[in-house]
Amino acid sequence: GRPERKRDKTNVHWGSDNIAVTDLDGKKKFFRKRAWVREFFTRKQAIAGDTVTVERLGRYDYKIDILRA
């Protein structure tokens, strides 16, 4: 098989003190660990039509938020 490539951990800031630690899929550009996503949508009270914004804060830091429709 192929050797496992070391993945850099990424911090996803999604609330005042909520940080999810995951890594990015290099080809698909999505966060691998997504257990925090349901709580994110619930806490942000997201509804159909809202947009998720992704802001890069640094090499391994992203801020996720909701832009209301």
Side-chain angles (χ1 to χ4, degrees):
R2 290 170 35 186
E4 184 71 19
R5 191 185 128 218
K6 180 186 170 293
R7 292 183 170 82
D8 294 316
K9 294 300 178 194
T10 299
N11 298 310
V12 181
H13 304 262
W14 59 273
S16 60
D17 59 351
N18 298 310
I19 299 173
V21 179
T22 185
D23 63 314
L24 279 173
D25 178 285
K27 293 180 183 177
K28 299 176 187 171
K29 304 291 186 203
F30 66 83
F31 302 114
R32 284 185 202 276
K33 294 182 183 175
R34 296 181 296 279
W36 55 273
V37 173
R38 181 182 302 268
E39 186 177 354
F40 164 76
F41 282 114
T42 300
R43 285 192 181 197
K44 295 292 185 172
Q45 299 178 336
I47 59 172
D50 287 349
T51 301
V52 175
T53 62
V54 180
E55 177 184 357
R56 189 173 191 167
L57 302 174
R59 185 170 181 182
Y60 300 110
D61 290 283
Y62 291 84
K63 179 182 176 189
I64 308 297
D65 211 343
I66 294 289
L67 180 62
R68 301 288 172 206

